[in-house]
DNA sequence: CCCAATAATCCAATCGATTGGATTATTGGG
DNA sequence: CCCAATAATCCAATCGATTGGATTATTGGG
């Protein structure tokens, strides 16, 4: 008989094994409700500090919640209130220092306003961007901040989210779509300034590394370059413009072309990454910077101050842009309105040795 | 009478105004259910491709869902199934290139396995880390990947999440806590290798920029340095070890000290950031690298190949680490088990000019 | 001590999807 | 054509928190 007992005991133990690995049941308001014999609605109100609950009861409930280790189930709360207190951020790549600063700004503001942030990388892929937008909609984020990918030309994929009533704010790469707000820097003016700076430094034949022209941002940067060239009495040549995605390899490839062109004495790249690729190759080939060829970039990546010579570039208020973008979005979420608004921030020309011929 | 009609019309229009800004009601399975006179449970099963629904009905439901623009409400689904298909990632800073590569690896694996990723930055703050962990628990993420902050010494704040049954995997900065898995590189061995390389290159008095010694990772790196020094017949001096958070400014500050020490001929920094800060200052002061002082770092930041001379450093399999970490976590989520496992990856010494005296 | 006014608490429905079990419809062998 | 076996569909409860309205308890003036 003792053996039988032992057997039963072992059997029960064996059966219970898989259960030990299951997620423990979390404490809910109903547990508190039962423990105190107080209706769960009152518990809910107490936990939300409602004035409909007496101080005495509130304290009892809070104490019990603490004691049981209660943790509000946000999923249930969100479902009921139809809010998630979460904003989605779509970013081309977080590894670009510009974007990671913007994100820090966004997080800063969001946290102060009680919002969570979901960061998603599109890796400059349109397909990925569409998928992300879908996920964000499914997750019912309260708003979306987006910097579109270099491939994005159609914006229909944003429709479902807008129809749902979620606000969207474009940052860095603005685009005129429906009544969405946007925040960016004055790319045209910045570009004009850098180009003029190169000209004043003595450049006569300046090539331009342009980004994808389907993106307004890069179109504006190119236009700034074009106008500065023309307004300063130089001749604009389309053959001096190289379009690419501005990766480091693109810069290297363009540098090769430039060397074969022989008369080039200046480079203005739409970002630092490509500028640095070009500089590395030019230096490797014995071209003197800035004496033979002056170089300027855009973004003020940390790397631009480390390379030799230091790279002249444009510094953008990245952190601030993130803060403002988040503020604009949260404003719209709270007001449940969508009054279009386009903010444009000013930038700063950082002059280093790469551009100073004299 | 016509005026009255007009008045009524305007009144109705005015009343409806605020409604226009409200979020539109989304289509639910019940809308599909009503439209087709099919029970919502069948609709749900059809949308989940259950075998309990006939092909014909399934098609009808899918068509109607498409037609109405149905979008599954993930919140409701998650609440019911007690799963979120989301993993949380806590990272000190996304702007560090090492971490952004790890994240890319994590996202890659996660996406392939159907998981969403929430990225949260602790900015090396313990307080922030605790808050984030709380948010992740409240949001009931299915698992957490964490690289602890430089301030983290106590791990009690992880308890509630572990009690809840959520798995945690440490990456990059492992720590022996309960039965949590971890993945990291062989910091000790890497450190030993770099240090020995500096010695073989002719360095006799090598200082070490150490990270916070409360973090195992930095302890291991220091130990590798110490042992390499001793095993190669040099004298270890505690005064040659400078502890800091390894920011660029720290590197600059240490460089100042080094110059005043006069006999130093080598620097091994626990990260590239501080190494580069030091290099910049040393170069500025006219110290020749590597002839006067050889320098080596850790991480292989992009910047390390751009600075002159190129910085000798350790390349870690960052992207791979992210992939493996995510895989380990997802494995645990699926199996609902937590068998502790510590993976250690190997690294690669990248020799550039900053360390080659001869 | 009574009763109206106010405060505190409870009831019951709801958010949208999922799921075990019950019921109804269909199939096919005899 | 009948009926057992199987397929397809429906019923009803559930996940956990919230909320408008109903009910009960308390307060305080007379």
């Amino acid at each position: 008989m003792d053996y039988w007992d032992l057997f039963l005991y072992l059997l029960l133990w064996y059966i219970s094994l898989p259960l030990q690995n299951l997620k423990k049941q979390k404490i809910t308001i109903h547990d508190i409700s039962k423990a105190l014999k107080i209706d769960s609605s009152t518990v809910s109100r107490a936990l939300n500090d409602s004035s409909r609950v007496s101080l005495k009861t509130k304290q009892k409930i809070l104490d019990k919640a603490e004691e049981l280790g209660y943790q509000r189930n946000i999923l249930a709360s969100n479902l009921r209130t139809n809010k998630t207190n979460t904003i989605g951020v779509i970013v081309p790549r977080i590894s670009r220092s510009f974007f990671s600063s913007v994100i820090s700004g966004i997080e800063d503001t969001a946290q102060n306003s009680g919002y969570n942030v979901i960061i998603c990388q599109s890796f400059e892929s349109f397909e990925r961007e569409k998928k992300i937008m879908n996920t964000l909609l499914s997750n019912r984020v309260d708003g979306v901040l987006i910097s579109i990918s270099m491939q994005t030309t159609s914006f229909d994929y944003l429709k479902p989210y807008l129809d749902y009533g979620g606000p969207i704010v474009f940052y860095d790469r603005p685009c005129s779509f429906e009544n969405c707000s946007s925040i960016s820097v004055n790319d045209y003016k910045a570009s004009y300034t850098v180009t003029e700076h190169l000209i004043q430094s003595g450049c006569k034949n300046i090539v331009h590394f342009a980004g994808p022209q389907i993106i307004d941002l890069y179109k504006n940067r190119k236009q700034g370059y074009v106008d500065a060239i023309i307004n300063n009495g130089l001749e604009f040549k389309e053959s001096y413009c190289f379009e690419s995605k501005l990766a480091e390899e693109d810069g290297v490839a363009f540098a090769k072309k430039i060397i074969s062109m022989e008369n080039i004495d200046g480079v203005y790249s739409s970002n630092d990454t490509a500028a640095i690729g070009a500089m590395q190759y030019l230096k490797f080939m014995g071209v003197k910077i800035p004496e033979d060829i002056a170089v300027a970039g855009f973004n003020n990546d940390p790397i631009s101050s480390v390379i030799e010579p230091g790279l002249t570039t444009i510094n953008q208020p990245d952190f601030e842009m993130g803060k403002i973008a988040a503020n604009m979005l949260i404003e719209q979420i709270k007001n449940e309105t969508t009054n279009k608004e386009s903010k444009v921030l000013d930038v700063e020309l950082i002059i280093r040795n790469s551009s100073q011929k004299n």
Side-chain angles (χ1 to χ4, degrees), chain A residues 67-197:
Chain A
E67 179 196 328
L68 296 177
Y70 171 79
Q71 275 273 7
R72 178 205 251 96
N73 185 321
I74 302 261
L75 296 178
S77 176
N78 288 347
L79 175 61
R80 185 61 230 265
T81 59
N82 200 25
K83 272 188 233 156
T84 56
N85 285 310
T86 300
I87 63 182
V89 178
I90 305 184
V91 63
R93 309 201 110 83
I94 55 172
S95 60
R96 293 279 164 88
S97 87
F98 168 74
F99 284 121
S100 63
S101 295
V102 175
I103 289 173
S104 297
I106 293 171
E107 287 197 328
D108 201 72
T109 297
Q111 199 169 45
N112 288 338
S113 311
Y115 282 85
N116 296 321
V117 176
I118 296 185
I119 301 162
C120 308
Q121 301 188 71
S122 69
F123 294 103
E124 305 282 8
S125 147
F126 180 50
E127 279 315 310
R128 207 131 174 177
E129 193 169 290
K130 281 200 288 189
K131 253 192 213 159
I132 292 171
M133 201 61 221
N134 236 307
T135 312
L136 292 178
L137 172 50
S138 285
N139 280 285
R140 303 289 191 273
V141 295
D142 291 344
V144 172
L145 291 171
I146 180 169
S147 193
I148 56 170
S149 87
M150 285 188 181
Q151 298 178 345
T152 306
T153 53
S154 152
F155 298 95
D156 289 342
Y157 74 103
L158 297 175
K159 277 268 176 64
Y161 187 70
L162 290 170
D163 285 346
Y164 161 65
I168 295 179
V169 171
F170 293 98
Y171 68 94
D172 186 46
R173 301 179 181 171
C175 56
S176 40
F177 177 68
E178 305 238 329
N179 53 346
C180 292
S181 296
S182 69
I183 178 158
S184 57
V185 299
N186 198 329
D187 289 295
Y188 172 84
K189 192 173 144 201
S191 223
Y192 192 100
T193 309
V194 191
T195 310
E196 201 158 48
H197 163 71

Side-chain angles (χ1 to χ4, degrees), chain A residues 92-356:
Chain A
R93 309 201 110 83
I94 55 172
S95 60
R96 293 279 164 88
S97 87
F98 168 74
F99 284 121
S100 63
S101 295
V102 175
I103 289 173
S104 297
I106 293 171
E107 287 197 328
D108 201 72
T109 297
Q111 199 169 45
N112 288 338
S113 311
Y115 282 85
N116 296 321
V117 176
I118 296 185
I119 301 162
C120 308
Q121 301 188 71
S122 69
F123 294 103
E124 305 282 8
S125 147
F126 180 50
E127 279 315 310
R128 207 131 174 177
E129 193 169 290
K130 281 200 288 189
K131 253 192 213 159
I132 292 171
M133 201 61 221
N134 236 307
T135 312
L136 292 178
L137 172 50
S138 285
N139 280 285
R140 303 289 191 273
V141 295
D142 291 344
V144 172
L145 291 171
I146 180 169
S147 193
I148 56 170
S149 87
M150 285 188 181
Q151 298 178 345
T152 306
T153 53
S154 152
F155 298 95
D156 289 342
Y157 74 103
L158 297 175
K159 277 268 176 64
Y161 187 70
L162 290 170
D163 285 346
Y164 161 65
I168 295 179
V169 171
F170 293 98
Y171 68 94
D172 186 46
R173 301 179 181 171
C175 56
S176 40
F177 177 68
E178 305 238 329
N179 53 346
C180 292
S181 296
S182 69
I183 178 158
S184 57
V185 299
N186 198 329
D187 289 295
Y188 172 84
K189 192 173 144 201
S191 223
Y192 192 100
T193 309
V194 191
T195 310
E196 201 158 48
H197 163 71
L198 284 173
I199 295 170
Q200 279 163 5
S201 172
C203 297
K204 302 260 178 262
N205 292 288
I206 305 170
V207 298
H208 175 50
F209 296 174
Q213 292 299 298
I214 50 175
I215 304 282
D216 283 351
L217 169 121
Y218 291 114
K219 232 198 279 189
N220 293 338
R221 289 193 188 164
K222 181 175 174 185
Q223 199 55 50
Y225 156 81
V226 173
D227 289 359
I229 292 285
I230 294 173
N231 292 350
N232 282 276
L234 298 180
E235 191 190 347
F236 165 68
K237 294 182 187 164
E238 189 60 48
S239 62
Y240 279 8
C241 295
F242 305 137
E243 189 177 329
S244 75
K245 289 194 172 173
L246 300 171
E248 197 166 332
E249 307 83 72
D250 296 315
V252 174
F254 294 154
K256 282 184 194 167
K257 277 198 204 164
I258 289 167
I259 288 179
S260 72
M261 287 163 80
E262 290 182 347
N263 63 331
I264 301 304
D265 57 6
V267 171
Y268 160 47
S269 168
S270 282
N271 80 6
D272 285 349
T273 314
I276 280 162
M279 276 176 81
Q280 298 271 69
Y281 184 77
L282 292 175
K283 279 161 65 178
F284 174 72
M285 296 300 283
V287 175
K288 288 211 170 66
I289 300 171
E291 294 81 355
D292 300 336
I293 299 182
V295 181
F298 207 113
N299 274 358
N300 197 23
D301 281 351
I303 213 166
S304 66
S305 67
V306 168
I307 194 168
E308 286 182 56
L311 176 62
T312 291
T313 188
I314 292 286
N315 185 51
Q316 305 176 75
D318 36 27
F319 186 79
E320 203 195 337
M321 183 186 281
K323 289 193 69 155
I324 298 176
N327 263 325
M328 287 168 74
L329 186 70
I330 291 171
E331 193 66 20
Q332 287 191 22
I333 293 172
K334 288 196 173 146
N335 295 343
E336 291 188 350
T337 56
T338 42
N339 34 347
K340 187 184 170 123
E341 179 185 18
S342 298
K343 283 202 186 168
V344 176
L345 303 178
D346 267 327
V347 300
E348 181 194 6
L349 174 65
I350 309 262
I351 299 177
R352 299 205 182 92
N353 291 330
S354 71
S355 65
Q356 300 183 282

